Amino acid sequence: MTVASWVLHVDLDQFLAAVEVLRRPELAGRPVVVGGKGDPTQRAVVATASYEARRFGVRSGMPLRTAAARCPDAVFLPADNAHYEAVSQEVMAVLRARPGVVVEVMGWDEAFVGADTDDPEALAAEIRGAVRAATRLECSVGIGDNMLRAKIATEFAKPGTGGGAYRLTAANWAEVMFDRPTRALWGIGAKTARKLADRGIHTVRELAGTDPAALAAELGPALGPWYVQLGRGIGRAEVEGTPWVARSRSHETTFQTDLADWADVREQVVALARRVAAEIRAEDRPAARVAVKVRFTPFSTYTRSATLEAPTLDADRFAAAALEVLEKFTSRRPVRLLGVRAEFTRP
DNA sequence: TCTGGGGTCCTAGGACCC
DNA sequence: TCTGGGGTCCTAGGACCC
């Protein structure tokens, strides 16, 4: 056996629902839907549905109202982000505790692990056991020769389809992926899949065989060639362990009742700006730009932004700048959502 | 059944400068 | 006389992901 460099993608199963069931064991086996304030009559969407709820067709991103229609017996729970963040950190600590590994966190419920080993399946089994022992949570592990393949491999490792781990490398990429739609690739969404289909590219095989320069001309100088690389299973192989430096900080709110009075809109923008300002001050990261997002009824969404005269940590100045940007909007249609974002200077 | 919240990166056009 | 080409910043929008 030779020691090689591997990428493992660790993905917690039905994370939010599983965490809620842990603190309320009587919910085990029941359809559980986590999202919003846990009130399916409110404007909010599903953050995570348990596998039992998914059997009724409940999916992430679906309005809670729809989820309730599909699964009237589901238990609806409010999202408790602070708790999920804490549990997530426990899991990441378990991953980082393995000797010699590099961990790159991708969200609350997933991380890449870079490791040199002659038996990645054994490492995957060790990780699953360690996470289970420390947190009582289940996870699936994708094994790959780069991050793209490891990430996609996780889909084949999930409960119901896989046995907890799955290996996807250059050796079986064509066999496993070539007949699948381009949408199966990490980075190709519904819109891009349609654009590719319009050009006669439906499968991963067809994408892999496309001339990168031709796609550059049609879909952009960077994106076009990148899509072809995705089709070929090529991606970053080095997992980065250095802490992520955020580019921006933002808050947004969807109002349960649209704001019809522009005075209320101004007031809410100031409140959001002050929340953002408090956070960037706590992080000591001055805002260089401010952006304001407005979603009018029914759903048209626009963003306006401006570079500040000088980067600032001052809440009054930041809020004033946000109000100034808000004035770039001239429509006075009812407002469904407001957002304020601070962008940091690039180091 | 009307569509959350928090992010990142890419693209393209225009301004502006040399 | 009304024409060049490159580089960079600013801004808005699009797309994707968790």
Side-chain angles (χ1 to χ4, degrees):
Chain A
M1 285 294 235
T2 51
V3 172
S5 190
W6 289 96
V7 179
L8 275 63
H9 177 254
V10 179
D11 193 302
L12 293 153
D13 300 338
Q14 48 174 4
F15 178 53
L16 273 49
V19 167
E20 293 298 346
V21 171
L22 280 184
R23 30 177 205 190
R24 300 175 63 176
E26 70 275 15
L27 296 182
R30 294 200 56 189
V32 172
V33 177
V34 181
K37 297 190 162 60
D39 177 354
T41 67
Q42 286 200 351
R43 284 176 172 173
V45 300
V46 176
T48 302
S50 70
Y51 291 127
E52 291 81 1
R54 292 180 203 186
R55 279 204 276 280
F56 290 86
V58 178
R59 296 284 179 271
S60 295
M62 173 183 285
L64 291 185
R65 222 179 281 270
T66 310
R70 293 197 179 187
C71 187
D73 293 333
V75 178
F76 287 85
L77 297 174
D80 181 356
N81 293 0
H83 183 54
Y84 310 142
E85 174 64 33
V87 176
S88 175
Q89 290 200 23
E90 284 180 46
V91 173
M92 300 309 165
V94 169
L95 301 183
R96 281 191 265 258
R98 306 217 65 79
V101 304
V102 176
V103 176
E104 184 170 339
V105 176
M106 296 300 287
W108 282 340
D109 63 343
E110 62 177 282
F112 287 99
V113 175
D116 293 327
T117 175
D118 62 1
D119 191 349
E121 277 76 12
L123 177 57
E126 279 174 38
I127 286 175
R128 298 183 69 224
V131 169
R132 187 184 302 121
T135 66
R136 292 181 291 148
L137 291 167
E138 294 294 325
C139 60
S140 304
V141 179
I143 300 166
D145 47 2
N146 63 38
M147 293 168 70
L148 173 66
R149 291 194 179 116
K151 167 77 183 178
I152 294 172
T154 304
E155 295 305 312
F156 304 112
K158 282 288 176 184
T161 48
Y166 188 87
R167 187 199 283 216
L168 186 58
T169 66
N172 61 344
W173 177 258
E175 177 200 330
V176 174
M177 295 300 294
F178 265 15
D179 287 325
R180 295 180 184 270
T182 57
R183 184 74 178 82
L185 296 166
W186 185 39
I188 295 190
K191 299 288 176 70
T192 303
R194 176 172 305 188
K195 278 192 208 173
L196 292 170
D198 289 345
R199 289 158 177 78
I201 302 165
H202 299 89
T203 64
V204 174
R205 175 187 286 102
E206 288 162 348
L207 183 58
T210 301
D211 173 21
L215 223 44
E218 300 209 48
L219 299 180
L223 288 177
W226 179 60
Y227 294 140
V228 176
Q229 297 291 75
L230 292 182
R232 296 173 181 174
I234 296 166
R236 174 154 68 96
E238 304 78 30
V239 178
E240 302 271 357
T242 48
W244 176 254
V245 180
R247 269 68 160 159
S248 65
R249 185 73 56 211
S250 69
H251 281 292
E252 63 184 55
T253 307
T254 294
F255 303 103
Q256 290 303 319
T257 308
D258 300 334
L259 300 184
D261 185 343
W262 200 252
D264 291 337
V265 172
R266 285 199 192 89
E267 190 180 310
Q268 294 295 328
V269 162
V270 168
L272 285 164
R274 290 190 174 282
R275 266 181 81 185
V276 171
E279 291 182 4
I280 67 174
R281 174 170 282 277
E283 297 171 272
D284 198 26
R285 299 272 320 266
R289 284 178 62 76
V290 56
V292 175
K293 176 165 151 184
V294 178
R295 176 169 293 152
F296 296 103
T297 311
F299 209 69
S300 43
T301 309
Y302 307 90
T303 301
R304 294 290 179 275
S305 61
T307 301
L308 302 179
E309 271 179 47
T312 186
L313 286 171
D314 184 84
D316 290 335
R317 285 178 56 193
F318 184 73
L323 268 184
E324 255 184 71
V325 170
L326 178 66
E327 293 312 313
K328 295 190 183 192
F329 292 93
T330 51
S331 170
R332 292 295 180 266
R333 291 146 63 202
V335 169
R336 176 190 174 93
L337 169 148
L338 288 171
V340 173
R341 183 175 75 242
E343 292 176 15
F344 304 126
T345 47
R346 297 298 293 270

